[in-house]
Amino acid sequence: MRVSWEELYERIGACERCGLRRGCTQTVPGEGDIHARLMCIGEGPGAEEDRLGRPFVGASGQLLDKMLAAIDLHREQVYIANIVKCRPPQNRQPSPEEAEACLPYLRAQVALIRPRVILLLGATAARNTIGPEVRITRDRGRWVERKGVWMMPTYHPSALLRTPSLKRDAWTDLQAVREKLRELEQEGERIVHDEA
Ligand code: URA
């Protein structure tokens, strides 16, 4: 799907590719810096996101803000999106069919933003991007590179709220994200310098 941002948001707003739209208040396409080097991908909107039309604004969103602050980033400096753009009923996990139906929108977002790093929040985000074989406890913190984009799964903020002892690993992952962004920036500067 090669589209402009305007067209993409329009298509998401009018989407009826799966049954989720009928059960939600509004679509939650995503938000943030459309030139961001870091993109964060979650699972799908919860109650607060559904009410406000914005991603990660409930309890897990507040924790995500803190996670970003830990690596000196503010939510306006990254782009935040979800695998599905409509709230699944009772916050259940989106089915594989629902995720599949919604993925073209996420792919279009990634193509427009061209982030250098993608932080995958939780198993749903990781499995629908890296592959169904991902196990979050085993694979968190591991980099996967695809076409120059570095992706890393980590725990979803809601998992960290449920099990605070996981925070230590999540913080390690975030430090690695910060390091990768730095590395890529230096690499970019070197290329610009060499070409000058
Ligand atoms: N959880 C998600 O995965 N995404 C949101 O936008 C909010 C909570």
Side-chain angles (χ1 to χ4, degrees):
M1 197 191 293
R2 277 185 163 269
V3 285
S4 64
W5 277 107
E6 199 180 0
E7 208 178 329
L8 178 60
Y9 282 156
E10 229 165 72
R11 284 197 197 187
I12 293 172
C15 183
E16 291 181 358
R17 290 171 60 100
C18 78
L20 290 181
R21 181 66 185 93
R22 283 191 295 278
C24 74
T25 310
Q26 59 186 320
T27 56
V28 180
E31 68 178 28
D33 181 357
I34 58 168
H35 304 294
R37 292 176 310 135
L38 174 64
M39 189 168 172
C40 300
I41 300 177
E43 179 174 300
E48 202 57 8
E49 291 77 18
D50 179 66
R51 194 172 71 78
L52 297 172
R54 299 179 55 207
F56 281 100
V57 286
S60 50
Q62 283 166 23
L63 182 54
L64 178 61
D65 288 348
K66 283 190 196 158
M67 292 163 74
L68 291 171
I71 52 167
D72 304 316
L73 285 171
H74 200 260
R75 67 149 55 212
E76 276 84 33
Q77 295 172 283
V78 307
Y79 191 90
I80 304 174
N82 281 305
I83 294 294
V84 293
K85 314 303 191 204
C86 293
R87 183 191 183 198
Q90 283 88 46
N91 294 349
R92 67 158 169 77
Q93 255 184 29
S95 68
E97 294 73 27
E98 289 159 351
E100 190 58 40
C102 212
L103 275 175
Y105 302 126
L106 184 67
R107 290 197 193 103
Q109 287 172 310
V110 173
L112 284 164
I113 298 166
R114 296 199 295 131
R116 302 303 311 276
V117 176
I118 301 180
L119 184 60
L120 301 163
L121 301 164
T124 300
R127 290 193 182 136
N128 283 289
T129 49
I130 295 175
E133 69 287 356
V134 174
R135 297 286 170 272
I136 202 75
T137 44
R138 182 191 62 196
D139 297 325
R140 59 142 278 274
R142 292 192 187 167
W143 288 110
V144 173
E145 190 253 1
R146 298 248 170 100
K147 296 184 194 161
V149 182
W150 292 84
M151 302 190 283
M152 183 203 275
T154 192
Y155 293 117
H156 191 285
S158 67
L160 302 179
L161 289 171
R162 276 194 309 270
T163 314
S165 58
L166 298 177
K167 279 187 184 169
R168 183 188 258 262
D169 283 342
W171 253 246
T172 306
D173 297 346
L174 284 162
Q175 298 308 320
V177 166
R178 172 163 46 192
E179 202 41 49
K180 179 63 80 184
L181 286 167
R182 254 195 219 139
E183 242 172 60
L184 293 168
E185 191 162 335
Q186 281 167 5
E187 213 170 85
E189 278 167 13
R190 251 199 320 275
I191 290 167
V192 170
H193 187 259
D194 290 351
E195 282 175 354

